[in-house]
Amino acid sequence: MSAVQEAPRKRTAYIALGSNMGDRIGWIEKACNEMDARGIRVKRTSSLWETEPMYVLDQDRFVNGACEVETTLEPLELLDALQDIEKSLGRKKLIDKGPRNIDLDILLYDNIQFDHERLKIPHVGIAEREFVLRPLAELIPDKPIDPSRPWRLTVDYLDALPPSKTPLTTMTPLSSHHPPIQALNPSRKTHVMAILNMTPDSFSDGGQHKPIIPAQGAADDAGTTAADTAAARLKETIAGFLDAGATMIDIGGQSTAPGTAEVPLEEELARVVPAVRLVREEFGSRPVLVSVDTYRAAVAEAAVAAGADIVNDVSGGSMDPAMLPTVARLGATVCLMHMRGTPATMNGLAEYPAEQGGLIGGIARELLARVRAAEEAGVRRWRIVLDPGLGFAKVGPQNVDVLRRLDELRSWPGLQGLPWLVGSSRKSFIGRVTGVPTPKERIWGTAATVAAAVQGGADVVRVHDVREMAQVVAMADAIWRY
């Protein structure tokens, strides 16, 4: 009888990712996908950072990152696999440390030292390279790099570097045809996201936009006429958004106002997908990003197939267990909003005890958990946007406090470098402060919250009144983005 063969031992390694040619982020994502396909499982990724070239200075800026992988390959086998991935992606090494579309280097492998003419672990250049240390410090800030010096951690090496002449910034891709968000770039422009609710029951604009497919059971002529009319009105609305300064359109087919009944999946799809297609077909020549506002994985998948760039999930991926794996598979950017419970129960879940970190600590802790869940599902960190969830499991003055302390959330350990979306438009807390009961009349109060969001570091503001809020953003950017 033959002995039972032991399963190969799983090892943890850290791989540096780099590119400075063509679609830099696209090449890195292809490399990560190729690692996964070859059994080198990408467990976590850092953010992606744009950096000046080092050593050979006459070349374009790099995008750099790092990933944690699980592998059964021994060090030299792993090196061979990574070099084969580089080759399969068309890398040609013209000069040492020169331009390349993809660069994969083994930084660390378990907790070992390895010395070979082809490979040295830890990588010899770690200590002097901020573009390596900064992403590595996101993954393993408290891990020693050199096993012979266990008292010196990754953050110690990073802190020992002289200040960079050009500070690094993270990069969050939105689509292959638009510049990424650079959340740490002090001169970045704030995106204006226009709200397009294809619903009859949204709290301030329900029923404004009708579905653009004929109603089931309607006579052909009547149904087609109604659909044509709805499509014409929708095109007019979208053109108005874009002319007013919107750079994103967020399309939703399910109201998340407190107490609103959930619509059937088929109905949400019928509301959302034709609207996404209309934007792409009618406004393809204009630089507009399309977001789908849904907590259902099936709607997210259909919307992305129709041309959506971003999935905006008010539940942070918690209401549909298929959402985060679906977003990971699609490779779309996802906005994870902070919410507790469901839209029907959230207002009863707005207590944030001081002993558990209070309001800001509670939001940060729970968003960290959603980020971890997304990463475990395969979502790359550089594909994550966060939303503090104004009006969701937050009542009255709590929303004002979130706006006041947004910068504290942005700098929370584990959340730094991620971009933020803030949606305050017309919400009830504005009405309570200003004494304006009608949501559509809360423009001035909304304007103050939008300015506060920009000051606090928001990268995207989600609004109903696009023309007015685009002007507020332009002025706020001129004041606080320099």
Side-chain angles (χ1 to χ4, degrees):
M1 182 180 294
S2 61
V4 177
Q5 186 174 2
E6 291 186 9
R9 182 181 171 188
K10 294 179 180 178
R11 311 288 191 120
T12 297
Y14 293 89
I15 312 296
L17 312 165
S19 174
N20 78 329
M21 294 176 64
D23 181 5
R24 300 170 298 170
I25 296 174
W27 285 119
I28 289 173
E29 293 191 319
K30 286 177 182 178
C32 288
N33 292 339
E34 190 64 25
M35 282 190 273
D36 279 331
R38 298 184 184 210
I40 305 167
R41 188 167 76 89
V42 179
K43 295 178 65 178
R44 293 189 300 148
T45 61
S46 70
S47 301
L48 292 178
W49 298 79
E50 187 172 53
T51 67
E52 296 289 349
M54 194 173 181
Y55 308 115
V56 179
L57 303 182
D58 186 19
Q59 56 180 319
D60 291 336
R61 291 167 66 86
F62 274 85
V63 173
N64 289 105
C67 62
E68 177 183 296
V69 304
E70 183 180 81
T71 180
T72 59
L73 300 175
E74 293 298 318
L76 288 176
E77 294 175 320
L78 179 59
L79 177 64
D80 288 338
L82 296 179
Q83 290 181 343
D84 192 58
I85 290 172
E86 291 177 336
K87 182 179 178 181
S88 72
L89 294 179
R91 171 172 172 170
K92 294 180 180 179
K93 191 171 184 178
L94 303 177
I95 57 172
D96 187 38
K97 300 180 177 62
R100 57 266 200 198
N101 66 319
I102 189 65
D103 193 21
L104 305 173
D105 287 320
I106 301 172
L107 300 174
L108 305 171
Y109 183 98
D110 269 0
N111 194 34
I112 70 167
Q113 291 179 299
F114 188 85
D115 193 347
H116 187 273
E117 61 181 6
R118 295 182 57 212
L119 176 65
K120 296 187 186 302
I121 301 174
H123 192 287
V124 293
I126 293 178
E128 65 186 33
R129 299 175 181 177
E130 184 182 7
F131 64 81
V132 173
L133 282 170
R134 198 160 289 282
L136 197 57
E138 289 184 287
L139 295 172
I140 48 168
D142 302 323
K143 179 181 173 65
I145 288 176
D146 185 347
S148 66
R149 306 180 73 190
W151 60 87
R152 196 163 190 209
L153 310 178
T154 304
V155 292
D156 297 327
Y157 286 94
L158 182 59
D159 292 343
L161 290 177
S164 175
K165 293 181 180 179
T166 306
L168 276 61
T169 181
T170 54
M171 304 181 74
T172 302
L174 302 169
S175 84
S176 60
H177 306 294
H178 293 78
I181 293 175
Q182 295 187 326
L184 298 179
N185 182 346
S187 62
R188 69 195 184 280
K189 298 292 186 183
T190 306
H191 282 277
V192 176
M193 174 183 275
I195 298 170
L196 185 61
N197 284 324
M198 303 297 297
T199 53
D201 52 359
S202 290
F203 80 97
S204 78
D205 59 355
Q208 184 172 332
H209 304 296
K210 306 293 184 183
I212 58 176
I213 58 174
Q216 187 174 2
D220 287 347
D221 290 346
T224 300
T225 299
D228 288 344
T229 301
R233 289 177 178 171
L234 197 57
K235 283 189 276 188
E236 184 179 349
T237 296
I238 293 166
F241 287 161
L242 299 180
D243 291 343
T247 52
M248 301 179 175
I249 296 178
D250 192 38
I251 301 174
Q254 160 72 58
S255 174
T256 51
T260 305
E262 188 174 77
V263 302
L265 171 62
E266 294 73 17
E267 187 170 349
E268 187 180 357
L269 286 167
R271 293 172 177 180
V272 168
V273 174
V276 174
R277 288 201 186 105
L278 183 142
V279 175
R280 285 295 172 235
E281 291 169 2
E282 299 293 333
F283 300 93
S285 63
R286 302 188 66 168
V288 57
L289 290 152
V290 177
S291 166
V292 56
D293 178 7
T294 185
Y295 50 77
R296 285 174 164 149
V299 176
E301 180 149 18
V304 170
D309 305 292
I310 302 159
V311 177
N312 184 14
D313 185 348
V314 298
S315 78
S318 65
M319 289 182 66
D320 183 346
M323 177 60 92
L324 295 177
T326 297
V327 170
R329 175 169 49 80
L330 295 172
T333 295
V334 61
C335 181
L336 305 176
M337 195 187 81
H338 176 266
M339 182 177 73
R340 290 175 168 177
T342 68
T345 64
M346 61 188 181
N347 279 356
L349 302 171
E351 291 188 11
Y352 297 83
E355 61 271 19
Q356 297 178 17
L359 176 65
I360 300 303
I363 294 170
R365 187 179 65 253
E366 291 164 26
L367 279 176
L368 279 167
R370 300 318 305 156
V371 170
R372 284 194 295 271
E375 290 178 324
E376 288 169 2
V379 179
R380 312 305 186 201
R381 183 178 177 86
W382 57 75
R383 284 283 180 180
I384 295 174
V385 178
L386 299 178
D387 182 339
L390 297 179
F392 289 77
K394 297 158 204 76
V395 294
Q398 291 176 326
N399 297 286
V400 177
D401 201 26
V402 171
L403 282 170
R404 185 183 295 122
R405 301 171 67 188
L406 181 61
D407 192 54
E408 187 178 339
L409 269 175
R410 291 180 65 241
S411 12
W412 199 271
L415 302 180
Q416 307 102 316
L418 293 172
W420 288 79
L421 182 154
V422 174
S424 58
S425 185
R426 299 182 180 177
K427 290 191 172 176
S428 60
F429 77 92
I430 297 173
R432 291 191 183 97
V433 172
T434 60
V436 178
T438 305
K440 288 184 179 180
E441 296 176 1
R442 296 172 184 159
I443 295 177
W444 294 109
T446 295
T449 64
V450 167
V454 174
Q455 182 186 23
D459 300 276
V460 183
V461 291
R462 183 177 180 271
V463 300
H464 297 86
D465 305 292
V466 177
R467 185 169 301 279
E468 295 86 348
M469 296 313 128
Q471 293 177 24
V472 172
V473 164
M475 197 69 236
D477 278 352
I479 296 169
W480 289 297
R481 303 281 162 89
Y482 51 87

